[in-house]
Amino acid sequence: MNDVATTHHTITVNRAFQATRAVVFAAWRDPAALQRWYVPGDAHWTSKIVAHDFRVGGSKRISFGPRDEVPYTEDCRYEDIVDGQRLCFSMTIARAARRLTTSMVTVQFLIAGARVHVIVTDQLVILDGGDTAEDRERGWGETLDKLVRLLS
């Protein structure tokens, strides 16, 4: 019998934007904008939006990772969308045929004075040691930092 390992984590990452809520939300809705910022890692990492059906019940598929390596695949299903305020999506990340994680992600867009705070909460299940909570938190931070730079 194979041993199966499952660990659970909740990760929350917050970034503030000097932009309107509509502009910040549009960066998640528009696949061309998403292509420019939605990838963790450094300049050697790339992403490709394979599919993006931005509606409740729609799916998003992204291939990403370091150049010249086997890419990761992110498969998402949008569970809830409140225009300009909230996104909820289920997400599974795999590399080749190995599923690494599955999670429920909530993205909130909150107004605080002249800023919009984006709060990402990732309720993460790590499958068979395929990732770490620290790596996922760092990945969300790197990704949101790219969005901050894009909208600055």
Side-chain angles (χ1 to χ4, degrees):
M1 180 189 313
N2 292 337
D3 289 333
V4 175
T6 306
T7 59
H8 297 87
H9 307 272
T10 298
I11 296 159
T12 302
V13 179
N14 182 347
R15 292 294 185 272
F17 297 85
Q18 286 291 131
T20 67
R21 187 158 58 178
V23 166
V24 178
F25 192 83
W28 292 77
R29 178 179 44 238
D30 176 29
L34 205 59
Q35 179 76 40
R36 290 193 301 272
W37 68 270
Y38 193 86
V39 61
D42 59 21
H44 299 320
W45 283 56
T46 63
S47 72
K48 178 182 178 188
I49 308 297
V50 178
H52 192 235
D53 182 10
F54 191 79
R55 63 178 176 83
V56 173
S59 62
K60 171 178 69 172
R61 180 167 220 188
I62 298 174
S63 175
F64 69 98
R67 284 179 176 75
D68 302 322
E69 290 188 24
V70 174
Y72 295 90
T73 302
E74 177 184 308
D75 284 302
C76 299
R77 181 182 188 279
Y78 289 105
E79 306 293 344
D80 184 62
I81 299 172
V82 178
D83 192 45
Q85 298 180 50
R86 181 180 64 224
L87 299 175
C88 295
F89 52 92
S90 55
M91 176 172 72
T92 298
I93 295 181
R95 193 169 201 189
R98 181 178 179 208
R99 292 173 131 202
L100 304 175
T101 65
T102 190
S103 60
M104 185 68 210
V105 177
T106 304
V107 184
Q108 298 174 80
F109 301 81
L110 306 175
I111 296 173
R115 294 179 168 215
V116 174
H117 286 263
V118 171
I119 302 168
V120 174
T121 303
D122 189 343
Q123 295 169 296
L124 172 65
V125 181
I126 297 174
L127 307 170
D128 304 322
D131 200 354
T132 67
E134 295 79 15
D135 283 345
R136 179 61 66 89
E137 184 172 3
R138 182 178 58 251
W140 274 118
E142 291 167 352
T143 300
L144 290 176
D145 288 344
K146 290 174 185 171
L147 180 56
V148 168
R149 287 191 297 275
L150 178 71
L151 297 180
S152 294

